[in-house]
Amino acid sequence: MTTMPQEERVRFTADASTSRWVVARPWVKVVAVVMIASFFAFPLYWVVSMSFKPRPEWNPPGKVYWAPQSPTIDNYTNLLGLKSTEDSVFATQRSASALTPFKNSIILSVGGTLLALFAGIVTAYGIARFRAGGGLLPFQILQLRMFPPVAIIIPLLFFYVAIKLYDTYWGVIILYGAITFPFVVWLMRSFFQDVPREISEAAIVDGCTQWGAFFKAVLPQVKGGLAATGLFVFILNWSDFLIAKVMTTDVHSTAPVYLQSLQGGASGNEYGLQAALACLLILPPAIFGLAIQRYLVRGLTFGAIKR
Amino acid sequence: MAEIRLEKLTKHFDEVRAVDGLDLVAEHGSFIALLGPSGCGKTTTMNMIAGLERPTAGEIYFDDFPVSGLGPEKRSVGFVFQNYAIFTHMTVYENLAFGLRMRKPRPPKDEIDREVRAVARTVGLSEQLERRVTRLSVNDLQKAALGRSMIVRPAIFLLDEPFSNLDASFRAYMRAELKRIQHEIGQTMVYVTHDQVEAMGMADRIAVMDRGQLQQYGTPDELYNRPENRFVANFIGSVLNNFLPVVPEASGAGVVVRVTGTGSKPIDVSDRKVPLAERAGAGLPLTLMVRPEKVRLVGPDADEALVRGSITAIEPLGATDVIHLRLDGADIRSVARPDAPLRVGDNVGIAFEAADVHLFDDETEHAIR
């Protein structure tokens, strides 16, 4: 941008002039990025800062604390039942800490995810490699997702009570697995389609069974996709509220249900505790995501598996 | 080592007859090529030998033992695929060791190691053993695929266009290498290709296929010098072959043919069984084939010139030139030495020996001998 050409001879399109305008002023980009980032990051900041605020700073009338004035970890210790103070919600309302729902969340989400992954990859491979079920099966499986779970939850509740799956780990795991199963089938099918047929044939000719070839030769080729699919399904299960709310009581209930119980009643809204629990709920998917990060990048570029 | 025998082998995909009543014997330790254009059924045949496809009818024997009922993992075949089918999540070493590790019971570690290193030496991958496969060149990938199939010492070695993705010079190198390896390990090899140069250069015998049917099965020499039908005659040969319409006629006690519409001199074909009695009167035409390398160019007025033509193009290939010629009503090609004093537009006389002429029945396309 050293010499500007003569004004009359230059015709910019709108796009070109905009980009030149930005290129000429790097700070514009910086400001834009900061603005957009703060817009999305602010709620996260608010939750994290709230989780460290003592009760008087939660929601005082007519005043906003943008940061904790006297930071405390009481919200966390109360939540996890490590300390019993007077303002603890457990002293007044509840008998259980967040530990049990948190543990339940992990058991049910991981269980449901593993079930969906196992059933889903086997189905997806059958469809991709052997055209199992003909052309319609993939759509029939997708139909499972064409109505919201709430549409069937009440009949299902009666059914679950009758077959004694109500308020059990297995009952919820099966439901989580069934609801996320179509996602696994559709995602993994496209990954399997990108694996050349010869990969499994080569393994079989070298002495593998069909199953051996699948697990030893084909599945490792799509581990990126498998990791991405697993994370996606896990997040879906982890954030479920409805099924856990309807299908369980306190004993097998999950953290999102517990989170909702932290408002109302005699104590009002327990903002600090809710924020602390929200922070804890962020951790498992984040850790899972970091752990599989090196597979994720390749897995998320759907269908771009190198042959 | 095993003999492969195919008997009336047939494979239908719905209405398509991919392979149609194929009879073929590959002897112990021989190198067989299945040659044909794409879609001729050669890969399907290969897949049936390996057990990856089930025949619709017919039977495959390995040393007189019918194998149709056996799964591919039980047939002891090695298969090298066109797109390598290398396991990209493994190192070269792990890829080579795969077949041995799948054995039950699994051989001891040091034995696997010894075998892997031996095979790596044979195919020339000793330096790359610890590399991840994703870092290999295309050429090395194919070597790895070859090594992985070799290591289990299969009774039968099947190769499906293994070199078609390689660059030309490396392909020539691998052709020689494969021939050496086959000689070294002495296994029966079946090689699928659409490239007649590959087939001619490597195979002991070649099965030429078209539209699911065997056209001819013979040594490279037989295919080149005694093609059974027009398809084989056309498919074999490195330069586009010359086909000319001819009319047979009686000449004394013998038979001659003349190239239709060119005022050509008669070519004596009395040694062939030309069906003159039915044909000559009606003047029914035949097709004459003469290979470009058998066509000589002489002066336009030379005695030996059978027809006259003019040069339309010269295609230099280095060692030889391909000369494109126009006759009245036909184009033919000849091969000449590059130093021959020829120019585009020259009028030349075209000569070839009666012995180098192949005649084909226009109706059945079979050779007339």
Side-chain angles (χ1 to χ4, degrees):
Chain A
M1 302 305 290
T2 46
T3 54
M4 281 297 286
Q6 283 181 322
E7 202 74 20
E8 313 84 71
R9 300 178 67 185
V10 183
R11 277 196 192 142
F12 290 127
T13 65
D15 281 349
S17 72
T18 310
S19 67
R20 281 194 187 215
W21 194 81
V22 172
V23 169
R25 300 163 183 78
W27 55 266
V28 174
K29 209 165 164 183
V30 173
V31 168
V33 168
V34 167
M35 275 169 59
I36 295 167
S38 359
F39 180 76
F40 286 104
F42 180 74
L44 189 65
Y45 164 77
W46 191 250
V47 166
V48 173
S49 80
M50 177 66 84
S51 76
F52 291 105
K53 286 175 189 168
R55 183 181 283 273
E57 293 177 25
W58 287 354
N59 194 19
K63 193 161 167 46
V64 173
Y65 290 96
W66 293 101
Q69 297 303 302
S70 41
T72 170
I73 58 163
D74 279 356
N75 291 329
Y76 289 93
T77 51
N78 285 346
L79 194 66
L80 300 177
L82 301 176
K83 194 175 83 173
S84 195
T85 56
E86 274 159 31
D87 65 345
S88 162
V89 65
F90 313 112
T92 57
Q93 257 197 321
R94 303 187 62 97
S95 52
S97 73
L99 274 178
T100 306
F102 204 84
K103 185 190 77 185
N104 288 344
S105 262
I106 288 181
I107 291 172
L108 296 176
S109 301
V110 170
T113 303
L114 290 180
L115 181 66
L117 281 182
F118 181 75
I121 58 173
V122 177
T123 310
Y125 189 62
I127 291 171
R129 179 71 172 71
F130 304 105
R131 280 191 230 132
L136 269 181
L137 185 63
F139 291 98
Q140 287 163 347
I141 289 171
L142 194 65
Q143 277 176 358
L144 288 174
R145 293 295 317 170
M146 289 190 178
F147 49 84
V150 70
I152 53 158
I153 196 81
I154 300 303
L156 208 57
L157 173 63
F158 289 112
F159 179 62
Y160 258 43
V161 171
I163 62 170
K164 296 192 169 26
L165 276 176
Y166 174 71
D167 199 22
T168 60
Y169 282 143
W170 274 113
V172 181
I173 287 175
I174 289 170
L175 267 184
Y176 280 1
I179 283 171
T180 49
F181 167 76
F183 289 119
V184 179
V185 173
W186 273 75
L187 288 173
M188 291 309 295
R189 184 176 77 132
S190 68
F191 289 121
F192 284 132
Q193 275 166 346
D194 287 339
V195 176
R197 184 190 190 90
E198 287 86 349
I199 290 285
S200 62
E201 289 181 342
I204 290 169
V205 168
D206 280 354
C208 283
T209 57
Q210 192 69 254
W211 279 95
F214 174 61
F215 284 111
K216 293 194 180 92
V218 177
L219 207 50
Q221 304 269 322
V222 298
K223 60 188 172 190
L226 189 62
T229 306
L231 179 62
F232 180 59
V233 167
F234 177 77
I235 291 172
L236 284 179
N237 289 333
W238 185 251
S239 54
D240 164 73
F241 172 77
L242 178 75
I243 290 168
K245 176 78 178 169
V246 176
M247 289 300 184
T248 59
T249 62
D250 287 350
V251 188
H252 296 106
S253 184
T254 60
V257 177
Y258 183 85
L259 183 67
Q260 186 247 357
S261 75
L262 288 176
Q263 59 188 347
S267 59
N269 272 331
E270 305 277 353
Y271 289 124
L273 294 172
Q274 286 179 330
L277 183 54
C279 289
L280 292 178
L281 283 178
I282 292 170
L283 290 179
I287 292 169
F288 187 7
L290 284 176
I292 62 166
Q293 197 181 21
R294 73 193 182 94
Y295 303 119
L296 262 188
V297 180
R298 237 173 73 183
L300 286 175
T301 56
F302 288 146
I305 291 172
K306 195 182 171 195
R307 297 193 173 195
Chain B
M1 274 234 260
E3 178 194 86
I4 309 169
R5 200 168 81 242
L6 312 181
E7 277 184 6
K8 299 262 172 291
L9 193 64
T10 301
K11 177 75 185 179
H12 295 179
F13 294 108
D14 299 326
E15 293 302 298
V16 183
R17 293 171 171 231
V19 178
D20 198 4
L22 185 61
D23 289 308
L24 202 67
V25 178
E27 285 139 25
H28 290 278
S30 62
F31 194 141
I32 304 300
L34 296 181
L35 175 65
S38 52
C40 74
K42 53 195 193 303
T43 296
T44 308
T45 304
M46 192 78 125
N47 286 342
M48 286 192 282
I49 296 175
L52 298 171
E53 302 268 13
R54 208 172 267 277
T56 312
E59 185 56 86
I60 301 164
Y61 298 90
F62 290 178
D63 284 339
D64 295 326
F65 182 78
V67 295
S68 283
L70 287 184
E73 72 278 7
K74 299 207 176 76
R75 291 197 187 183
S76 181
V77 296
F79 204 124
V80 180
F81 293 88
Q82 183 174 2
N83 62 3
Y84 330 121
I86 283 288
F87 307 138
T88 49
H89 59 289
M90 297 179 181
T91 62
V92 176
Y93 187 100
E94 289 165 331
N95 263 289
L96 292 182
F98 187 83
L100 292 179
R101 287 178 177 166
M102 288 306 118
R103 282 239 175 105
K104 281 174 194 144
R106 187 198 269 222
K109 231 179 182 162
D110 53 329
E111 192 188 318
I112 293 180
D113 188 66
R114 211 167 41 240
E115 290 288 320
V116 168
R117 287 179 197 285
V119 166
R121 252 195 317 280
T122 309
V123 297
L125 277 178
S126 296
E127 309 297 313
Q128 275 97 324
L129 274 178
E130 300 309 322
R131 281 230 206 148
R132 286 208 79 84
V133 170
T134 40
R135 309 206 159 208
L136 288 189
S137 68
V138 172
N139 295 347
D140 286 345
L141 275 177
Q142 196 50 274
K143 285 182 181 174
L146 203 57
R148 195 185 61 197
S149 311
M150 231 159 74
I151 200 159
V152 291
R153 297 175 194 278
I156 289 161
F157 219 127
L158 306 173
L159 301 101
D160 187 0
E161 309 223 13
F163 303 153
S164 58
N165 294 353
L166 308 182
D167 48 63
S169 63
F170 191 73
R171 200 182 310 166
Y173 166 76
M174 281 306 279
R175 276 210 296 272
E177 276 295 280
L178 187 63
K179 208 165 176 173
R180 175 183 67 76
I181 290 170
Q182 199 259 346
H183 193 72
E184 211 173 287
I185 59 182
Q187 277 148 328
T188 313
M189 272 198 191
V190 181
Y191 188 101
V192 160
T193 181
H194 64 262
D195 180 350
Q196 54 95 21
V197 177
E198 270 184 11
M200 299 282 278
M202 288 192 294
D204 301 323
R205 301 186 81 189
I206 300 170
V208 181
M209 293 180 69
D210 184 39
R211 278 171 275 163
Q213 289 179 328
L214 183 64
Q215 302 296 317
Q216 187 171 358
Y217 183 44
T219 62
D221 180 63
E222 282 166 357
L223 295 182
Y224 183 80
N225 291 315
R226 293 178 62 79
E228 297 257 349
N229 58 35
R230 201 182 150 146
F231 178 83
V232 175
N234 186 29
F235 206 76
I236 302 290
S238 48
V239 181
L240 204 55
N241 288 306
N242 301 316
F243 289 91
L244 295 167
V246 293
V247 188
E249 56 193 66
S251 160
V255 184
V256 296
V257 293
R258 289 177 199 271
V259 180
T260 314
T262 55
S264 82
K265 290 181 188 162
I267 304 158
D268 185 9
V269 291
S270 305
D271 54 338
R272 323 289 162 92
K273 294 194 182 93
V274 178
L276 192 61
E278 310 136 46
R279 297 248 176 188
L284 277 182
L286 302 172
T287 297
L288 171 151
M289 194 278 272
V290 58
R291 299 199 181 275
E293 46 275 37
K294 305 287 188 189
V295 173
R296 282 177 298 123
L297 301 183
V298 294
D301 300 316
D303 279 350
E304 34 184 352
L306 296 168
V307 266
R308 281 187 209 161
S310 62
I311 299 177
T312 56
I314 296 176
E315 197 183 330
L317 298 180
T320 54
D321 283 357
V322 177
I323 315 294
H324 295 255
L325 303 149
R326 167 145 309 149
L327 314 181
D328 289 336
D331 287 336
I332 68 168
R333 286 146 297 273
S334 161
V335 174
R337 283 175 31 196
D339 54 1
L342 299 168
R343 278 204 315 273
V344 174
D346 284 358
N347 283 317
V348 290
I350 292 153
F352 41 83
E353 302 302 320
D356 293 328
V357 161
H358 304 266
L359 291 177
F360 298 99
D361 187 310
D362 273 2
E363 238 167 77
T364 63
E365 304 208 330
H366 283 306
I368 297 169
R369 296 226 172 90

